Amino acid sequence: MTLKITPIRKDFPNLKDKIHGKPLAYLDNAATTLKPKQVIDAVSAYYSHYASNIHRAVHALSQKATLQYENTREKVRKFINAKNTAEIIFTSGTTESINLVAQSYVKTFLKANDEIIISEMEHHSNIVPWQIASKETGCTLKIIPVDNNGEIDLERFKELLSSKTKLVSITHTSNVLGTINPVKEIIRIAHGHHVPVLIDAAQAVGHQTIDVQDLDCDFLAFSAHKMYGPTGVGILYGKQNLLEAMAPYKTGGDMIDSVTFEKTTYRELPYKFEAGTPDIASVIGLGAAIDYINRVGLNKISSYEKTLLSYAIKELKNISGLQVVGSPSKKAPIISFVLDGIHPHDLGTILDEQGIAIRTGHLCTQPLLKRFGVLSLSRASLGIYNTPKDIDALVGGIKKAKKVFKC
Ligand code: C6P
């Protein structure tokens, strides 16, 4: 199962640019991926030829925009194997998808002294919304610890579950450690206690097959921009019966059935949760991103990224003074590390001068960094256009930084 990298790289205009006069080695894919020309063209075609609002007008432009928008909903449904398009809500990203559930589900169903379980490896987007919703409802947040390998402590999870637990929200894949959590098992255990589960799939979709019916998750959140699509759009998948029972999260145009000054009734799913004019162009771009991934083949992508990850880990571990954080048994192509004697921001700056883009800092996971006793990390994360040459550039760049800092 091989990936033809040369034509793939040609699809990404960014890769033709020079950064500080050097070829770009883009290794910040967990933050956002680059976009292929097929996605850029789809966005541009909407703005150039049928820019108009959706669901509102009978004219040809609006009809075409509505059709393309709704076609993307069907593509998303198929991509994650949801039962029907009523379960696919367009949001602005993973963050908004989680906030929607935190505001709507929690306020509809939870009360004082109920408990929500998350883990120590969550992104701030899967911590803060629960913290706020807990404060507002009087619920308590329980945290599953992470072990030294960077894996969730499943035994502790089982102990935390009780009749008070009303929701579990867990990341599929850590944006720091790359840990691929045993989410199917976590969902099975939670369902044994009749507890619904939200999966934060921001770092999973586009890297491996996600099948919501096979996982049996109750909610799933992800962002288009981390899977070669545009910024500004994400998905909340939710089981239809749960979404139907939940109150709208934001209100306004397009989500109503009828309005009088006395009373408003809402439209059916999924529109009940899509108030106001959405990011139509980006939704259409997401459709093109899904087509792109399907054309390349998710199995091929997963297997290619796995091979490249092994090479990257082997090469990075050969650098003296470099420690990779975490060694989970199942790992996505994300490597966070510390380098003796060099602050991540200094390393990031020296690498940037050489055209190498990585992410540095707390990676929006301050509790996890505290768990590993660090304030800041350097992170390289891979995508479908990366090659061993990018890894070699990173290794060469780190060695150069070590020379600059004489360590
Ligand atoms: N992580 C990173 O560099 P948004 O910003 O809504 O598209 O995604 C938020 C989010 C939620 N969960 C996980 C696991 C994530 O990794 C992210 C985004 C980026 O790691 C930006 S901080």
Side-chain angles (χ1 to χ4, degrees), residues 319 339-340 342 347 350 354 395-407:
I319 299 175
L339 192 56
D340 290 347
I342 308 182
L347 177 65
I350 292 176
Q354 299 166 70
V395 169
I398 294 171
K399 286 183 177 161
K400 193 165 180 185
K402 279 166 69 74
K403 269 195 194 135
V404 173
F405 278 84
K406 298 186 175 48
C407 57

Side-chain angles (χ1 to χ4, degrees), residues 14-15 23 25 31 42 45 49 54 66 74 81 97 121 127 260 267 288 295 310 315 325 406:
N14 279 118
L15 295 175
H49 301 296
I54 52 164
T66 302
E74 169 57 18
N81 193 31
S97 298
M121 70 167 75
I127 301 174
T260 66
R267 280 180 78 186
R295 212 171 313 123
S310 302
E315 292 298 306
V325 180
K406 298 186 175 48

